Coordinates of all heavy atoms in Angstrom, one line a residue:
M1 N 143.3 120.1 76.5 CA 143.9 119.6 77.7 C 145.3 120.0 77.9 O 146.0 120.0 76.8 CB 143.7 118.0 77.9 CG 144.3 117.2 77.0 SD 144.2 115.5 77.2 CE 142.5 115.3 77.0
K2 N 145.7 120.0 79.1 CA 147.2 120.3 79.3 C 147.9 119.3 80.1 O 147.3 119.0 81.3 CB 147.3 121.7 79.8 CG 148.7 122.4 79.5 CD 148.7 123.7 80.2 CE 148.4 124.8 79.3 NZ 148.8 126.1 79.7
L3 N 149.0 118.7 79.7 CA 149.7 117.8 80.7 C 150.9 118.4 81.1 O 151.9 118.8 80.4 CB 150.1 116.5 79.8 CG 150.9 115.5 80.6 CD1 150.0 114.8 81.7 CD2 151.4 114.3 79.7
Y4 N 151.0 118.6 82.5 CA 152.3 119.1 83.1 C 153.2 118.0 83.4 O 152.9 117.0 84.1 CB 151.7 119.9 84.5 CG 150.9 121.1 84.2 CD1 149.5 121.0 84.0 CD2 151.3 122.3 84.1 CE1 148.7 122.0 83.7 CE2 150.7 123.5 83.8 CZ 149.2 123.2 83.7 OH 148.5 124.2 83.3
V5 N 154.4 118.3 83.0 CA 155.5 117.3 83.2 C 156.6 117.9 83.7 O 156.8 119.2 83.8 CB 155.8 116.6 81.8 CG1 154.6 115.9 81.1 CG2 156.5 117.6 80.8
C6 N 157.7 117.1 84.1 CA 158.9 117.6 84.7 C 159.6 118.4 83.6 O 159.5 119.5 83.4 CB 159.7 116.5 85.4 SG 160.1 115.1 84.4
Y7 N 160.6 117.6 82.9 CA 161.6 118.2 82.0 C 161.2 117.7 80.5 O 161.8 118.1 79.7 CB 163.0 118.0 82.2 CG 163.5 118.7 83.5 CD1 163.1 118.3 84.8 CD2 164.2 119.8 83.3 CE1 163.6 119.0 86.0 CE2 164.7 120.6 84.4 CZ 164.4 120.1 85.8 OH 164.7 120.8 86.8
G8 N 160.3 116.8 80.5 CA 159.9 116.4 79.0 C 159.1 115.1 79.2 O 159.0 114.5 80.2
T9 N 159.1 114.4 78.0 CA 158.4 113.1 78.0 C 159.3 112.0 77.4 O 158.8 111.1 76.9 CB 157.0 113.3 77.1 OG1 157.3 113.8 75.8 CG2 156.0 114.2 77.7
F10 N 160.5 112.3 77.6 CA 161.6 111.3 77.1 C 161.5 110.0 77.9 O 161.1 110.1 79.1 CB 162.9 112.0 77.2 CG 163.1 112.8 78.5 CD1 163.6 112.2 79.6 CD2 162.9 114.1 78.4 CE1 163.7 113.0 80.7 CE2 163.1 114.9 79.6 CZ 163.6 114.2 80.7
P11 N 162.1 108.9 77.4 CA 162.2 107.8 78.3 C 163.2 107.7 79.3 O 164.3 108.5 79.0 CB 162.5 106.7 77.2 CG 162.7 107.2 76.0 CD 162.5 108.7 76.1
T12 N 163.0 107.3 80.4 CA 164.1 107.2 81.5 C 164.1 105.8 82.1 O 163.0 105.2 82.0 CB 163.9 108.1 82.7 OG1 162.7 107.8 83.4 CG2 163.9 109.6 82.2
P13 N 165.2 105.3 82.6 CA 165.2 103.8 83.1 C 164.5 103.7 84.6 O 164.7 102.7 85.1 CB 166.7 103.5 83.2 CG 167.4 104.8 83.3 CD 166.4 105.9 82.8
R14 N 163.9 104.7 84.9 CA 163.3 104.6 86.2 C 162.4 103.5 86.6 O 161.4 103.2 86.0 CB 162.6 106.0 86.7 CG 162.0 106.1 88.0 CD 161.3 107.3 88.2 NE 160.5 107.1 89.3 CZ 159.8 108.1 89.9 NH1 160.1 109.4 89.4 NH2 159.0 107.9 90.8
P15 N 162.8 102.6 87.6 CA 161.8 101.5 87.9 C 160.6 102.0 88.7 O 160.6 103.0 89.3 CB 162.7 100.6 88.9 CG 164.0 101.5 89.2 CD 164.0 102.6 88.5
P16 N 159.4 101.3 88.5 CA 159.4 100.0 87.9 C 158.9 100.1 86.5 O 159.1 99.1 85.7 CB 158.3 99.3 88.8 CG 157.4 100.4 89.2 CD 158.2 101.6 89.4
H17 N 158.3 101.3 86.1 CA 157.8 101.4 84.7 C 158.3 102.5 83.9 O 157.7 102.8 82.9 CB 156.2 101.5 84.8 CG 155.5 100.4 85.6 ND1 155.6 99.1 85.2 CD2 154.9 100.5 86.8 CE1 154.9 98.4 86.2 NE2 154.5 99.3 87.2
G18 N 159.4 102.9 84.3 CA 159.9 104.0 83.5 C 159.5 105.5 84.0 O 159.0 105.6 85.0
H19 N 159.7 106.4 83.0 CA 159.3 107.8 83.3 C 158.0 108.1 83.5 O 157.2 107.9 82.5 CB 159.9 108.6 82.2 CG 160.0 110.1 82.4 ND1 160.4 111.0 81.5 CD2 159.5 110.9 83.4 CE1 160.2 112.2 82.0 NE2 159.7 112.2 83.1
P20 N 157.4 108.4 84.7 CA 155.9 108.7 84.9 C 155.4 109.7 83.9 O 154.3 109.6 83.4 CB 155.7 109.1 86.3 CG 157.1 108.6 87.0 CD 158.2 108.7 86.0
C21 N 156.1 110.7 83.6 CA 155.5 111.8 82.8 C 155.4 111.2 81.3 O 154.4 111.5 80.5 CB 156.4 113.0 82.7 SG 156.5 113.8 84.3
R22 N 156.3 110.4 80.9 CA 156.3 109.9 79.5 C 155.1 108.8 79.5 O 154.3 108.7 78.6 CB 157.6 109.1 79.2 CG 157.4 108.4 77.8 CD 158.8 107.6 77.5 NE 158.7 106.9 76.2 CZ 158.7 107.5 75.0 NH1 158.9 108.8 74.9 NH2 158.6 106.8 73.9
N23 N 154.9 108.0 80.6 CA 153.8 107.1 80.6 C 152.5 107.6 80.5 O 151.7 107.2 79.9 CB 154.0 106.1 82.0 CG 155.3 105.4 82.0 OD1 156.0 105.2 81.0 ND2 155.7 105.0 83.2
A24 N 152.3 108.8 81.3 CA 151.0 109.6 81.2 C 151.0 110.1 79.8 O 149.8 109.9 79.1 CB 151.1 110.7 82.1
Y25 N 151.9 110.6 79.2 CA 151.8 111.2 77.9 C 151.4 110.2 76.8 O 150.5 110.4 76.0 CB 153.1 111.9 77.5 CG 152.9 112.5 76.1 CD1 152.3 113.7 75.8 CD2 153.6 111.8 75.1 CE1 152.2 114.1 74.5 CE2 153.5 112.3 73.6 CZ 152.9 113.6 73.5 OH 152.7 114.1 72.2
K26 N 152.1 109.0 76.8 CA 151.9 107.9 75.8 C 150.4 107.4 76.1 O 149.8 107.1 75.0 CB 152.9 106.8 76.2 CG 154.3 107.2 75.7 CD 154.4 107.8 74.3 CE 155.0 106.9 73.3 NZ 155.2 107.6 72.0
A27 N 149.9 107.3 77.2 CA 148.6 106.7 77.5 C 147.6 107.6 76.9 O 146.6 107.3 76.3 CB 148.3 106.6 78.9
L28 N 147.8 108.9 77.0 CA 146.8 109.9 76.4 C 146.9 109.9 74.9 O 146.0 109.8 74.2 CB 147.2 111.4 76.9 CG 146.9 111.7 78.4 CD1 147.7 112.8 78.8 CD2 145.4 111.8 78.6
E29 N 148.2 109.7 74.4 CA 148.3 109.6 73.0 C 147.6 108.3 72.4 O 147.0 108.5 71.4 CB 149.8 109.6 72.7 CG 150.3 110.0 71.4 CD 151.7 109.9 71.2 OE1 152.4 109.0 71.7 OE2 152.2 110.9 70.6
K30 N 147.9 107.3 73.1 CA 147.2 106.0 72.7 C 145.7 106.1 72.7 O 145.1 105.5 71.9 CB 147.7 104.8 73.7 CG 147.3 103.5 73.2 CD 147.9 102.5 74.2 CE 147.4 101.1 73.9 NZ 147.6 100.2 75.0
A31 N 145.2 106.9 73.6 CA 143.7 107.0 73.7 C 143.1 108.2 72.6 O 142.0 108.5 72.6 CB 143.4 107.5 75.1
G32 N 144.1 108.6 71.8 CA 143.6 109.5 70.7 C 143.8 111.0 71.2 O 143.3 111.9 70.3
H33 N 144.2 111.3 72.3 CA 144.4 112.7 72.7 C 145.7 113.4 72.3 O 146.7 112.6 72.0 CB 144.2 112.8 74.3 CG 143.0 112.3 74.7 ND1 141.8 113.0 74.6 CD2 142.6 111.3 75.4 CE1 140.8 112.3 75.1 NE2 141.3 111.2 75.7
D34 N 145.6 114.7 72.1 CA 147.0 115.3 71.7 C 147.2 116.5 72.8 O 147.0 117.6 72.5 CB 146.8 115.9 70.3 CG 147.9 116.6 69.8 OD1 149.1 116.4 70.4 OD2 147.8 117.4 68.9
P35 N 147.5 116.2 73.9 CA 147.7 117.1 75.0 C 148.7 118.2 74.8 O 149.9 117.9 74.2 CB 148.0 116.4 76.4 CG 148.6 115.2 75.7 CD 148.1 114.9 74.5
E36 N 148.5 119.4 75.2 CA 149.5 120.4 75.2 C 150.5 120.2 76.4 O 150.0 119.8 77.5 CB 148.9 121.8 75.4 CG 149.8 123.0 75.3 CD 149.1 124.3 75.7 OE1 147.8 124.3 75.6 OE2 149.9 125.3 76.1
V37 N 151.7 120.1 76.1 CA 152.7 119.7 77.1 C 153.4 120.8 77.7 O 153.9 121.6 77.0 CB 153.7 118.7 76.6 CG1 154.8 118.3 77.6 CG2 153.1 117.3 76.1
E38 N 153.3 120.9 79.0 CA 153.9 122.1 79.7 C 154.9 121.5 80.6 O 154.7 120.8 81.6 CB 152.8 122.8 80.5 CG 153.3 123.9 81.3 CD 153.1 125.3 80.7 OE1 152.3 125.4 79.7 OE2 153.5 126.3 81.2
R39 N 156.2 121.9 80.4 CA 157.3 121.7 81.2 C 157.4 122.5 82.4 O 157.5 123.7 82.2 CB 158.6 121.6 80.4 CG 158.6 120.5 79.4 CD 159.8 120.8 78.4 NE 159.8 119.8 77.4 CZ 159.1 119.6 76.2 NH1 158.1 120.6 76.1 NH2 159.1 118.7 75.4
V40 N 157.4 122.0 83.6 CA 157.5 122.8 84.9 C 158.9 122.9 85.4 O 159.1 123.9 86.2 CB 156.5 122.2 85.9 CG1 155.1 122.2 85.5 CG2 157.0 121.0 86.5
Y41 N 159.8 122.1 85.1 CA 161.2 122.2 85.4 C 161.3 122.1 86.9 O 160.3 121.7 87.5 CB 161.8 123.4 84.8 CG 161.9 123.5 83.3 CD1 161.0 124.5 82.7 CD2 162.5 122.5 82.5 CE1 160.9 124.4 81.3 CE2 162.4 122.6 81.2 CZ 161.7 123.5 80.5 OH 161.6 123.5 79.2
G42 N 162.3 122.6 87.5 CA 162.6 122.7 88.9 C 162.6 121.2 89.6 O 163.0 120.2 89.0
A43 N 162.1 121.1 90.8 CA 162.0 119.9 91.5 C 160.9 120.0 92.5 O 160.5 121.1 93.0 CB 163.3 119.5 92.2
A44 N 160.4 118.9 93.0 CA 159.2 118.8 93.9 C 159.7 119.2 95.3 O 158.8 119.4 96.1 CB 158.6 117.5 93.8
F45 N 161.0 119.3 95.5 CA 161.5 119.6 96.9 C 162.1 121.0 96.9 O 162.6 121.4 95.9 CB 162.4 118.6 97.4 CG 163.5 118.2 96.3 CD1 164.5 118.9 96.2 CD2 163.2 117.1 95.5 CE1 165.5 118.5 95.2 CE2 164.1 116.7 94.5 CZ 165.2 117.4 94.4
L46 N 162.0 121.7 98.1 CA 162.5 123.0 98.2 C 164.0 123.0 98.1 O 164.7 122.0 98.3 CB 162.2 123.5 99.6 CG 160.7 123.9 99.7 CD1 160.5 124.2 101.3 CD2 160.3 125.1 98.9
P47 N 164.6 124.1 97.5 CA 164.0 125.3 97.2 C 163.9 125.3 95.7 O 163.4 126.4 95.0 CB 165.0 126.4 97.5 CG 166.3 125.6 97.3 CD 166.1 124.3 97.6
L48 N 164.0 124.2 95.0 CA 164.0 124.2 93.5 C 162.6 124.1 92.9 O 162.4 124.0 91.7 CB 164.9 123.0 93.0 CG 166.4 123.1 93.3 CD1 167.1 121.9 92.8 CD2 166.9 124.4 92.7
N49 N 161.6 124.1 93.7 CA 160.2 124.0 93.2 C 159.6 125.3 92.8 O 158.4 125.4 92.5 CB 159.3 123.3 94.2 CG 159.0 124.1 95.5 OD1 159.7 125.0 95.7 ND2 158.0 123.6 96.1
Q50 N 160.4 126.4 93.0 CA 159.7 127.8 92.7 C 159.6 128.1 91.4 O 159.7 129.4 91.1 CB 160.4 128.8 93.7 CG 160.4 128.5 95.1 CD 159.0 128.3 95.7 OE1 158.2 129.1 95.4 NE2 158.8 127.2 96.4
T51 N 159.4 127.3 90.5 CA 159.2 127.7 89.1 C 157.9 128.1 88.9 O 156.8 127.6 89.7 CB 159.5 126.5 88.1 OG1 158.6 125.5 88.3 CG2 161.0 126.1 88.3
P52 N 157.4 128.9 87.8 CA 155.9 129.3 87.7 C 155.2 128.1 87.5 O 154.0 128.0 87.9 CB 156.0 130.1 86.5 CG 157.5 130.8 86.5 CD 158.4 129.6 87.1
G53 N 155.6 127.1 86.7 CA 154.9 125.9 86.5 C 154.6 125.1 87.7 O 153.5 124.6 87.9
R54 N 155.6 124.9 88.5 CA 155.4 124.1 89.8 C 154.4 124.8 90.7 O 153.6 124.2 91.4 CB 156.8 123.9 90.5 CG 157.7 123.0 89.8 CD 157.7 121.6 90.4 NE 158.7 121.0 89.7 CZ 158.7 119.6 89.5 NH1 157.7 118.8 90.2 NH2 159.6 119.0 89.0
R55 N 154.5 126.1 90.7 CA 153.6 127.0 91.6 C 152.2 126.8 91.1 O 151.3 126.6 91.7 CB 154.0 128.4 91.6 CG 155.1 128.8 92.5 CD 155.0 130.3 93.0 NE 155.5 131.1 91.8 CZ 156.7 131.5 91.4 NH1 157.7 131.0 92.1 NH2 157.0 132.1 90.4
H56 N 152.0 126.8 89.7 CA 150.7 126.7 89.1 C 150.2 125.2 89.4 O 148.9 125.1 89.8 CB 150.7 126.8 87.6 CG 149.4 126.7 87.0 ND1 148.3 127.6 87.2 CD2 149.0 125.9 85.9 CE1 147.3 127.3 86.6 NE2 147.6 126.3 85.8
V57 N 151.0 124.2 89.3 CA 150.6 122.8 89.7 C 150.1 122.8 91.1 O 149.1 122.3 91.5 CB 151.7 121.8 89.4 CG1 151.4 120.5 90.0 CG2 151.8 121.7 87.9
K58 N 150.8 123.4 92.0 CA 150.5 123.5 93.4 C 149.2 124.3 93.7 O 148.3 123.8 94.5 CB 151.7 124.2 94.2 CG 151.4 123.9 95.8 CD 152.7 123.9 96.6 CE 152.4 123.5 98.0 NZ 153.6 123.6 98.9
E59 N 148.9 125.3 92.9 CA 147.7 126.0 93.1 C 146.6 125.1 92.7 O 145.6 125.2 93.3 CB 147.8 127.3 92.2 CG 148.5 128.4 92.8 CD 148.8 129.4 91.7 OE1 148.1 129.6 90.7 OE2 149.6 130.3 92.0
M60 N 146.8 124.4 91.7 CA 145.7 123.5 91.2 C 145.4 122.3 92.0 O 144.3 121.8 92.2 CB 145.9 123.0 89.7 CG 146.0 124.1 88.7 SD 146.0 123.4 87.0 CE 147.5 122.4 87.1
T61 N 146.5 121.7 92.5 CA 146.3 120.4 93.2 C 146.8 120.4 94.6 O 146.6 119.3 95.3 CB 147.2 119.3 92.4 OG1 148.6 119.7 92.6 CG2 146.9 119.3 90.9
G62 N 147.5 121.4 95.2 CA 147.9 121.4 96.4 C 149.3 120.8 96.7 O 149.8 120.7 97.8
Q63 N 149.8 120.2 95.6 CA 151.2 119.7 95.6 C 151.9 120.0 94.4 O 151.3 120.3 93.4 CB 151.0 118.2 96.0 CG 150.2 117.4 95.1 CD 151.0 117.1 93.8 OE1 151.9 116.4 93.9 NE2 150.5 117.5 92.7
S64 N 153.3 119.7 94.4 CA 154.0 120.1 93.3 C 154.4 119.1 92.3 O 155.1 119.3 91.4 CB 155.3 120.8 93.9 OG 155.1 121.8 94.9
W65 N 154.1 117.7 92.6 CA 154.6 116.7 91.9 C 153.8 116.7 90.5 O 152.7 117.0 90.4 CB 154.5 115.4 92.5 CG 155.5 115.3 93.7 CD1 155.6 115.9 94.8 CD2 156.5 114.2 93.6 NE1 156.6 115.5 95.5 CE2 157.2 114.5 94.9 CE3 156.9 113.3 92.8 CZ2 158.2 113.8 95.2 CZ3 158.1 112.5 93.2 CH2 158.8 112.7 94.4
V66 N 154.6 116.2 89.5 CA 154.0 115.9 88.3 C 154.3 114.6 87.8 O 155.1 114.0 88.4 CB 154.6 117.0 87.1 CG1 154.3 118.4 87.3 CG2 156.2 116.9 87.1
P67 N 153.5 114.0 86.9 CA 152.6 114.6 85.9 C 151.2 114.9 86.6 O 150.8 114.2 87.5 CB 152.3 113.6 84.9 CG 152.6 112.2 85.5 CD 153.7 112.5 86.5
V68 N 150.7 116.1 86.0 CA 149.3 116.3 86.4 C 148.6 116.8 85.0 O 149.2 117.4 84.2 CB 149.2 117.7 87.3 CG1 147.9 118.3 87.4 CG2 149.7 117.4 88.6
L69 N 147.3 116.2 84.8 CA 146.6 116.5 83.7 C 145.5 117.6 84.0 O 144.8 117.3 85.0 CB 146.0 115.3 83.2 CG 144.9 115.4 82.0 CD1 145.8 115.9 80.7 CD2 144.2 114.1 81.7
E70 N 145.6 118.7 83.4 CA 144.4 119.7 83.5 C 143.4 119.4 82.3 O 143.9 119.7 81.2 CB 145.0 121.1 83.5 CG 144.0 122.2 83.7 CD 144.5 123.6 83.7 OE1 145.7 123.6 83.4 OE2 143.8 124.5 84.2
L71 N 142.2 119.2 82.6 CA 141.3 119.0 81.6 C 140.6 120.4 81.2 O 140.8 121.4 82.0 CB 140.1 118.2 82.2 CG 140.5 116.7 82.3 CD1 139.6 115.9 83.2 CD2 141.1 116.0 81.2
D72 N 139.9 120.4 80.0 CA 139.4 121.7 79.5 C 138.3 122.3 80.6 O 138.3 123.5 80.4 CB 138.8 121.5 78.2 CG 139.9 121.0 77.1 OD1 141.0 121.3 77.4 OD2 139.5 120.5 76.0
D73 N 137.7 121.4 81.5 CA 136.7 122.0 82.3 C 137.5 122.5 83.6 O 136.7 123.0 84.6 CB 135.7 121.0 82.6 CG 136.2 119.8 83.4 OD1 137.4 119.9 83.8 OD2 135.4 119.0 83.6
G74 N 138.8 122.6 83.6 CA 139.6 122.9 84.7 C 139.8 121.9 85.8 O 140.6 122.3 86.7
S75 N 139.2 120.8 85.7 CA 139.5 119.8 86.7 C 140.9 119.2 86.4 O 141.5 119.3 85.3 CB 138.4 118.7 86.7 OG 138.4 118.1 85.4
T76 N 141.5 118.5 87.5 CA 142.8 117.9 87.3 C 142.7 116.5 87.6 O 142.0 116.0 88.4 CB 143.8 118.7 88.2 OG1 143.2 118.7 89.6 CG2 144.0 120.1 87.8
V77 N 143.8 115.7 87.1 CA 144.0 114.4 87.4 C 145.4 114.3 87.7 O 146.3 114.6 86.9 CB 143.7 113.5 86.1 CG1 143.9 112.0 86.6 CG2 142.2 113.8 85.7
Q78 N 145.8 113.8 88.9 CA 147.2 113.8 89.5 C 147.7 112.5 89.6 O 147.1 111.6 90.1 CB 147.1 114.6 90.8 CG 148.5 114.7 91.4 CD 148.3 114.8 93.0 OE1 147.5 115.3 93.4 NE2 149.4 114.2 93.6
G79 N 149.0 112.5 89.0 CA 149.7 111.2 89.0 C 149.6 110.3 87.8 O 148.4 110.2 87.2
S80 N 150.6 109.7 87.4 CA 150.6 108.8 86.2 C 149.7 107.8 86.1 O 148.9 107.5 85.2 CB 152.0 108.4 85.8 OG 152.5 107.5 86.8
D81 N 149.5 107.1 87.4 CA 148.5 106.0 87.4 C 147.2 106.5 87.1 O 146.4 105.8 86.4 CB 148.6 105.2 88.7 CG 149.9 104.5 88.9 OD1 150.6 104.4 88.0 OD2 150.2 104.1 90.1
R82 N 146.7 107.5 87.7 CA 145.5 108.1 87.6 C 145.2 108.7 86.2 O 144.2 108.6 85.6 CB 145.2 109.1 88.7 CG 145.0 108.4 90.0 CD 144.3 109.2 91.1 NE 143.0 109.7 90.5 CZ 142.6 111.0 90.8 NH1 143.3 111.9 91.3 NH2 141.3 111.3 90.3
I83 N 146.3 109.2 85.6 CA 146.2 109.8 84.2 C 146.0 108.6 83.3 O 145.2 108.6 82.3 CB 147.4 110.7 83.9 CG1 147.4 111.9 84.8 CG2 147.4 111.1 82.5 CD1 148.7 112.8 84.7
I84 N 146.6 107.6 83.5 CA 146.6 106.3 82.6 C 145.0 105.8 82.7 O 144.6 105.5 81.6 CB 147.7 105.3 82.9 CG1 149.1 105.8 82.6 CG2 147.4 104.0 82.2 CD1 150.3 105.2 83.1
E85 N 144.7 105.7 83.9 CA 143.3 105.2 84.1 C 142.3 106.1 83.4 O 141.4 105.7 82.8 CB 143.0 105.2 85.6 CG 143.5 104.0 86.3 CD 143.3 104.1 87.9 OE1 142.4 104.9 88.2 OE2 144.1 103.4 88.6
W86 N 142.5 107.4 83.6 CA 141.6 108.4 82.9 C 141.7 108.3 81.4 O 140.5 108.2 80.7 CB 141.9 109.8 83.3 CG 141.0 110.8 82.8 CD1 139.9 111.3 83.3 CD2 141.0 111.5 81.4 NE1 139.2 112.2 82.5 CE2 139.9 112.2 81.4 CE3 142.0 111.4 80.4 CZ2 139.6 112.9 80.2 CZ3 141.7 112.1 79.1 CH2 140.5 112.9 79.1
A87 N 142.8 108.1 80.9 CA 143.0 108.1 79.4 C 142.3 106.8 78.9 O 141.6 106.8 77.8 CB 144.4 108.0 79.1
E88 N 142.5 105.6 79.6 CA 141.8 104.4 79.3 C 140.3 104.6 79.3 O 139.6 103.9 78.4 CB 142.3 103.2 80.0 CG 143.8 102.9 79.7 CD 144.4 101.9 80.5 OE1 143.9 101.4 81.5 OE2 145.6 101.5 80.4
A89 N 139.9 105.2 80.2 CA 138.3 105.3 80.5 C 137.8 106.4 79.5 O 136.4 106.4 79.4 CB 138.0 105.7 81.9
N90 N 138.6 107.4 79.0 CA 138.0 108.4 78.3 C 138.8 108.5 76.9 O 139.4 109.5 76.6 CB 138.2 109.7 78.9 CG 137.4 109.7 80.3 OD1 136.3 110.1 80.1 ND2 138.0 109.3 81.3
P91 N 138.5 107.4 75.9 CA 139.3 107.7 74.7 C 138.7 108.8 73.8 O 137.4 109.0 74.1 CB 138.9 106.3 74.1 CG 137.8 105.7 74.7 CD 137.9 106.3 76.2
R92 N 139.4 109.4 73.0 CA 138.9 110.5 72.2 C 137.9 109.9 71.1 O 138.4 108.9 70.5 CB 139.8 111.2 71.5 CG 139.4 112.5 70.9 CD 140.6 113.3 70.5 NE 140.1 114.5 69.7 CZ 140.7 115.4 69.2 NH1 142.1 115.4 69.3 NH2 140.3 116.5 68.6
T93 N 136.8 110.4 71.0 CA 135.8 109.7 70.1 C 135.9 110.4 68.7 O 136.2 111.6 68.7 CB 134.4 109.7 70.7 OG1 134.0 110.9 71.2 CG2 134.3 108.6 71.7
Ligands
GSH1 N1 154.0 108.2 91.7 C1 154.1 109.5 90.8 C2 155.5 109.8 90.7 C3 155.7 111.0 89.9 C4 157.2 111.4 89.7 O1 158.0 110.9 90.4 N2 157.3 112.6 89.1 C5 158.6 113.1 89.0 C6 158.8 113.6 87.6 S1 158.7 112.4 86.4 C7 158.8 114.1 90.0 O2 157.9 115.2 89.9 N3 159.7 114.2 90.7 C8 160.0 115.1 91.7 C9 160.7 116.3 91.1 O3 160.6 116.6 89.9 O4 161.2 117.0 91.9 C10 153.4 109.2 89.5 O5 153.5 108.0 89.0 O6 152.9 110.1 89.0

């Protein structure tokens, strides 16, 4: 599986729960997964979203925001809340 993140999985003070990309990564880690982390850089708003990573995220999901989880079957889970839910429901066995 591959986790697309902004610039990394470092902590940030962003309210209400901190850095969404980190939260998604930590939830996957806690569930026993070891996702490949792909940094997309840029920004979700024009014109800074034209990085290859952001374009790929847009091709997969129709939008440029991260975090996005790409599963091995090619399906995607978009947004930290949904990725956390997916991780909790799908612990690595
Ligand atoms: N509600 C979304 C918010 C995601 C979010 O704010 N992602 C940041 C990166 S951590 C982002 O893409 N911001 C816009 C940008 O990078 O230009 C979630 O929880 O996944």
Side-chain angles (χ1 to χ4, degrees):
M1 66 173 61
K2 202 182 263 197
L3 181 66
Y4 295 84
V5 302
C6 54
Y7 288 75
T9 57
F10 43 80
T12 64
R14 180 180 158 165
H17 303 299
H19 185 179
C21 295
R22 179 179 178 80
N23 297 342
Y25 179 75
K26 291 307 250 183
L28 291 166
E29 200 178 43
K30 188 175 169 194
H33 298 289
D34 183 21
E36 184 183 341
V37 174
E38 177 101 9
R39 293 167 177 79
V40 302
Y41 304 110
F45 42 86
L46 288 171
L48 295 176
N49 70 342
Q50 299 305 315
T51 66
R54 293 261 182 201
R55 278 201 295 269
H56 183 59
V57 165
K58 191 158 190 181
E59 280 164 19
M60 291 192 299
T61 67
Q63 57 82 57
S64 310
W65 285 65
V66 289
V68 167
L69 178 65
E70 183 180 14
L71 299 171
D72 294 342
D73 66 3
S75 62
T76 55
V77 183
Q78 186 204 321
S80 63
D81 291 350
R82 291 195 54 225
I83 294 170
I84 291 164
E85 279 171 22
W86 183 91
E88 288 172 354
N90 295 277
R92 189 171 179 181
T93 49

